[in-house]
Amino acid sequence: MAEPRPSRRALLAVPLFLAAGPALAQPANRQPGPRVVPGPRVVTLLGDSITAGYGLPAQAALPARLQAALVRLGANAVVRGAGVSGDTTAGGLARVDFSVRKDTDVAVIALGANDLLQGLDPRRTRANLDGIVRKLKGRGVGVVLAGIDAPAQIGGGYARDFNAVFPAVARAHGVTLYPNLLDGVARQPALNQADGIHPNARGAAIIAARLAPVVARALAARG
């Protein structure tokens, strides 16, 4: 027996049902979720006694001063100190993997002063800095390389070779160079502690104020 044919009214209802299908499949209106506010960017200072804040209370040391200077520039950043007194570039290379944590956005390499004080071979200083930068870039960490200016009176040839290390490393790896960490502070008695080497609170504030725009640009470049 032939099946009964659908009525004309039923056929006319099919397009209406199909047209309604997508609307029926739409989820109910949802309230927008909470807006995600990005957390602060992390800056790590990999250095020696200067970045460790030798002779200064924590709030006057370079990490705290740099964080305050970055905030004044509008950068949402937290600065971690990873300075070890007496550390050379060799020490920094040995500990970079655990001293610069995984969540670091930009690392400031502030090593070399103790290499200079100990008269270490500039070629070895360069090799160590090369290794540090290579490791950080391999992890996707932005790098600012802070140099140290060797005074000519320690020996013209040595000073020339030592001072050439930092721009050479920066060029080789395409990282930002801050030519002299102690710019405006070195050999200024009013800005240093009694030893004439370590910045006092005023000196640390000057270093931070001059370094902060460079670090802020490095953070901004990372998006």
Side-chain angles (χ1 to χ4, degrees), residues 9-70:
R9 179 178 298 178
L11 289 173
L12 290 174
V14 171
L16 296 176
F17 176 79
L18 294 176
L24 294 173
Q26 291 295 322
N29 290 336
R30 295 179 179 175
Q31 295 296 321
R35 186 169 66 91
V36 177
V37 179
R41 314 296 290 276
V42 177
V43 177
T44 299
L45 297 182
L46 180 70
D48 48 36
S49 55
I50 295 172
T51 52
Y54 174 87
L56 297 174
Q59 66 271 20
L62 184 57
R65 293 288 194 173
L66 179 59
Q67 180 170 315
L70 287 170

Side-chain angles (χ1 to χ4, degrees), residues 136-155:
L136 291 172
K137 289 192 68 177
R139 290 168 46 189
V141 176
V143 173
V144 173
L145 178 61
I148 291 290
D149 189 22
Q153 56 265 34
I154 69 171

Side-chain angles (χ1 to χ4, degrees), residues 82-203:
V84 173
S85 293
D87 220 359
T88 62
T89 55
L93 177 59
R95 66 184 175 87
V96 60
D97 288 333
F98 61 85
S99 289
V100 180
R101 298 184 209 168
K102 293 181 179 179
D103 60 349
T104 297
D105 292 286
V106 170
V108 179
I109 304 172
L111 289 161
N114 289 307
D115 296 50
L116 176 63
L117 290 174
Q118 296 175 27
L120 301 181
D121 187 342
R123 291 174 296 182
R124 177 49 52 192
T125 298
R126 173 166 181 173
N128 293 332
L129 290 173
D130 276 329
I132 293 170
V133 175
R134 191 176 295 112
K135 285 190 173 190
L136 291 172
K137 289 192 68 177
R139 290 168 46 189
V141 176
V143 173
V144 173
L145 178 61
I148 291 290
D149 189 22
Q153 56 265 34
I154 69 171
Y158 182 88
R160 182 185 62 249
D161 293 345
F162 184 86
N163 290 338
V165 164
F166 298 93
V169 172
R171 284 194 303 270
H173 296 279
V175 300
T176 300
L177 174 67
Y178 184 72
N180 182 13
L181 181 68
L182 299 178
D183 182 39
V185 174
R187 296 178 288 281
Q188 299 292 325
L191 301 176
N192 286 281
Q193 299 177 45
D195 60 12
I197 297 174
H198 295 95
N200 59 23
R202 287 178 58 200

